[in-house]
Amino acid sequence: MRERYLSGFLGSFRPERGTQYVMDQEQDLAEAFRSGRRGSFELVVEVHVDSLYRFLVNLTMRREDAEDLCQETFLEADRSIRSFRGDSSFKTWLFQIGYRRYLKWRKKCPRTMLLDAEATVESGAQHIEDKLDIRRAMAELSE
């Protein structure tokens, strides 16, 4: 679906990560977005939402907050697209907006919520360690 939409928007799209072709396409998309080309905002979201969301989940440690920050990031990018100068990649610019939104969120976020998120991550890690211990013990029993 995404490839078909991209090909109609920017020409033939072949996702070859790390190539100049993809970098040129990103710049073309950023320019289309800056100029207000119809459908460009939706395409920016489609191309970057997954990686931005993962980035924000890693920062917040909470999916719901990451979703909210992701939406806020795209809305702020839409409002401030004219400030994108192209000194960095469009993705870097977008992630910088996301990071600034995260910092604002963290200042407002109650300390107890942050501690709860950290405890959840730690208990998840402990749960994984417990499962590994059980598997090792079962393997030893079967020998």
Side-chain angles (χ1 to χ4, degrees):
M1 169 77 175
R2 182 171 107 178
E3 288 183 23
R4 189 168 21 132
Y5 187 62
L6 283 168
S7 67
F9 191 82
L10 295 173
S12 67
F13 177 75
R14 285 170 270 124
E16 301 169 25
R17 298 234 179 251
T19 65
Q20 185 64 40
Y21 178 74
V22 171
M23 290 171 56
D24 290 345
Q25 266 198 330
E26 184 175 290
Q27 288 305 113
D28 291 346
L29 177 57
E31 186 54 43
F33 184 39
R34 186 183 328 174
S35 67
R37 186 167 173 190
R38 187 170 185 229
S40 60
F41 177 76
E42 292 82 3
L43 187 56
V44 164
V45 171
E46 176 76 20
V47 169
H48 295 289
V49 69
D50 292 336
S51 56
L52 180 63
Y53 173 73
R54 283 191 307 271
F55 172 70
L56 293 168
V57 165
N58 286 330
L59 292 174
T60 64
M61 296 183 273
R62 295 171 49 101
R63 291 180 178 162
E64 300 82 16
D65 294 324
E67 288 172 3
D68 292 343
L69 290 172
C70 202
Q71 289 177 6
E72 291 173 16
T73 298
F74 284 115
L75 291 174
E76 187 172 330
D78 189 40
R79 286 190 299 267
S80 59
I81 185 60
R82 301 251 187 266
S83 71
F84 176 66
R85 297 184 311 252
D87 296 338
S88 62
S89 74
F90 181 76
K91 184 175 182 177
T92 300
W93 178 79
L94 184 65
F95 275 54
Q96 189 64 34
I97 293 172
Y99 186 70
R100 286 193 311 267
R101 298 300 303 177
Y102 161 74
L103 292 176
K104 288 179 184 177
W105 168 83
R106 189 162 179 200
K107 283 182 182 177
K108 293 179 184 177
C109 188
R111 182 79 177 137
T112 55
M113 185 186 297
L114 294 174
L115 293 174
D116 288 345
E118 290 173 10
T120 300
V121 169
E122 287 174 11
S123 69
Q126 183 60 47
H127 180 69
I128 291 170
E129 288 177 24
D130 291 344
K131 278 186 166 182
L132 290 173
D133 289 342
I134 291 169
R135 286 187 182 165
R136 281 189 212 113
M138 290 177 70
E140 287 177 12
L141 289 174
S142 65
E143 292 176 358

